[in-house]
C-alpha cells in the first residue's frame, strides 16, 4: 500500500511539474531564430522578447489559453492538497471523489488550452504585430508537454476515482 501511495504522489507531482513547465516556458511555437509561448515571442539571436498584448490580432484566443493553463495548474495543485487532506480525513473504504473531480477539472482546462492553441495557431502566428517572422515554425516542447500533462491529469483523475482508502 505504501508503494502505491508513493507512486500516486510521484505521478501527481509529475503532472503538476509538466503543467508548470508548459505554462511558463517559452516554447509553444519554435523556429530557427525564435520561440513563442502564450506570454511572449522571443528572438533567439539577440535575446529580445516581445510580450503578447492587446494589439495582437488573436489576443482573445491567447488569453483563453493563458487562463486555461493557469487554471489547470492551480486545480492540479489544489487537488494534491485535497488528496493529502483526504488521506487523513476519509474513513476506511471511502473513495477520493473530491480529489478526482478537481483533478479532472485540471484535465479539462489543459485540454481546452491545448485545443484552442491547436485550432488557432495559424491565425495567432500571422499577426503583423510580431517583431519577427513567426509563421514558419513548428510546435515546441511546451505544447507537447501540455498534451502529455492532459493525459497524466486524466489518468490520475480516474485513478483517484477508483482508489479507496485502506489501512
Amino acid at each position: 500500500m505504501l508503494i502505491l501511495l508513493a507512486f500516486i504522489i510521484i505521478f501527481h507531482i509529475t503532472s503538476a511539474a509538466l503543467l508548470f513547465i508548459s505554462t511558463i516556458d517559452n516554447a509553444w511555437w519554435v523556429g530557427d531564430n525564435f520561440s513563442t509561448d502564450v506570454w511572449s515571442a522571443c528572438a533567439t539571436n539577440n535575446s529580445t522578447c516581445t510580450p503578447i498584448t492587446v494589439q495582437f490580432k488573436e489576443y482573445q484566443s491567447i488569453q483563453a489559453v493563458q487562463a486555461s493553463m493557469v487554471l489547470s495548474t492551480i486545480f492540479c495543485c489544489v487537488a494534491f492538497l485535497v488528496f493529502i487532506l483526504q488521506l487523513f480525513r476519509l474513513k476506511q473504504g471511502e473513495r477520493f471523489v473530491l480529489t478526482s473531480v478537481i483533478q479532472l477539472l485540471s484535465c479539462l482546462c489543459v485540454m481546452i488550452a491545448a485545443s484552442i492553441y491547436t485550432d488557432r495557431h495559424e491565425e495567432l502566428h500571422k499577426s503583423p504585430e510580431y517583431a519577427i517572422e513567426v509563421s514558419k515554425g513548428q510546435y515546441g516542447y511546451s505544447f507537447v508537454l501540455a498534451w502529455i500533462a492532459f493525459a497524466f491529469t486524466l489518468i490520475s483523475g480516474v485513478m483517484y476515482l477508483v482508489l479507496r482508502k485502506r489501512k
Side-chain angles (χ1 to χ4, degrees):
M1 182 63 190
L2 198 57
I3 294 172
L4 180 65
L5 181 63
F7 171 75
I8 290 169
I9 290 172
I10 289 170
F11 195 77
H12 197 116
I13 290 172
T14 303
S15 300
L18 289 172
L19 286 170
F20 272 109
I21 292 168
S22 64
T23 302
I24 295 170
D25 208 9
N26 192 13
W28 277 63
W29 187 257
V30 296
D32 293 333
N33 60 348
F34 70 89
S35 62
T36 67
D37 65 354
V38 295
W39 308 103
S40 63
C42 296
T44 54
N45 53 1
N46 59 2
S47 299
T48 57
C49 291
T50 306
I52 296 175
T53 59
V54 180
Q55 290 83 18
F56 282 76
K57 183 174 140 190
E58 289 289 324
Y59 186 63
Q60 297 84 5
S61 300
I62 284 291
Q63 275 191 317
V65 174
Q66 290 171 346
S68 296
M69 286 304 293
V70 169
L71 274 175
S72 168
T73 306
I74 290 170
F75 280 140
C76 188
C77 293
V78 168
F80 184 69
L81 294 175
V82 169
F83 174 67
I84 298 299
L85 288 174
Q86 284 186 323
L87 274 177
F88 298 107
R89 303 291 293 166
L90 281 181
K91 295 177 183 150
Q92 187 176 349
E94 291 184 6
R95 296 186 188 272
F96 294 91
V97 176
L98 182 59
T99 302
S100 175
V101 167
I102 297 170
Q103 190 70 350
L104 290 172
L105 281 173
S106 174
C107 172
L108 178 68
C109 287
V110 73
M111 182 195 67
I112 288 170
S115 296
I116 290 172
Y117 197 86
T118 302
D119 180 54
R120 307 299 298 169
H121 81 275
E122 289 179 6
E123 290 83 8
L124 291 171
H125 300 120
K126 288 180 182 174
S127 182
E129 287 80 17
Y130 284 108
I132 51 176
E133 175 64 33
V134 297
S135 62
K136 291 177 177 62
Q138 58 196 15
Y139 292 114
Y141 67 88
S142 292
F143 176 79
V144 174
L145 288 179
W147 279 111
I148 293 170
F150 161 71
F152 273 41
T153 54
L154 178 64
I155 291 167
S156 65
V158 171
M159 190 168 43
Y160 286 130
L161 194 59
V162 173
L163 188 66
R164 291 180 182 264
K165 183 177 180 186
R166 296 184 185 159
K167 265 194 170 180

